[in-house]
Amino acid sequence: MRLIRFIAVLCFVTGFSLLAAAQDVVMLDTANFVRGTIKGTDYNTVSLLKDDQVEVIYKAKDVKEFLWNGETYVSKPIINNKKVEQRFFKVLELGAVNMYAIGEQSGDPTATQEKRVRVSPNIGFGLGSGGMSRGGFGGVGIGGGISIGGGRRSNSKKAAGRKALYFIEKPGTGPMLEIQLNSSGDQQRLKQILLEKLNNDEDLATRIKETESFDAKAVAAYVKAYNLMHQQ
């Protein structure tokens, strides 16, 4: 009987732990976070339905990163209409070289914004940033060559249907760069960027030079292979 009760308690604790782990999390800084269910992001803001059923809209400038459905989104600076602004970027690969996307997946964080009761966050303490990310983040330089369309979203469908933009970054070697995919006029430029960032790897360089057309999965595969060979 004791064994049965022990197994029942163990199953309950395990199930509760898995449920808690499955929650989305908004990391405000390295020690403060808020749990709940993320409703969506337009990459300028993220909407979180907290455990008390209060919906909060967080701006990218006020958030370090957030975890949504097992994917990490980080807040990073970007130049928009000659102004430096913060945006959320979906992490595709992290390591010696990082790869991000913006516009791959969206939601409607402002659809229920009028229903919010308050915006003061329910903050927890004691969770370090190491548990939220798949790698460390190097310093990010701000420079030209990175821009996105400005203006507010008129509706969520337009934001969800926009073309995804991809960026590559090698910390310590300058600002992150936008990479153009499946564009015949930019294939040579893309190869140059990859050869520059994924350097000191002759085998990988040969495969990059032989590739005729790149998509996001192919670039991510090259970045992953490079990171595996250059783990610190």
Side-chain angles (χ1 to χ4, degrees), residues 5 10 16 33-34 44 51 63-64 83 93-94 120 124 133 138 145 160 167 173 176 185 200 212-213 218-219 228 231:
R5 291 177 61 185
L10 179 62
F16 180 82
F33 65 95
V34 187
N44 297 295
D51 292 339
V63 172
K64 183 177 184 292
K83 295 181 179 180
E93 293 296 334
L94 283 180
S120 57
S133 302
F167 299 84
T173 64
M176 64 179 178
N200 299 323
E212 297 180 357
S213 179
V219 176
L228 288 174
Q231 292 179 344

Side-chain angles (χ1 to χ4, degrees), residues 9-28:
V9 171
L10 179 62
C11 291
F12 174 81
V13 172
T14 302
F16 180 82
S17 299
L18 292 175
L19 180 61
Q23 280 186 307
D24 300 324
V25 179
V26 173
M27 180 72 72
L28 304 178

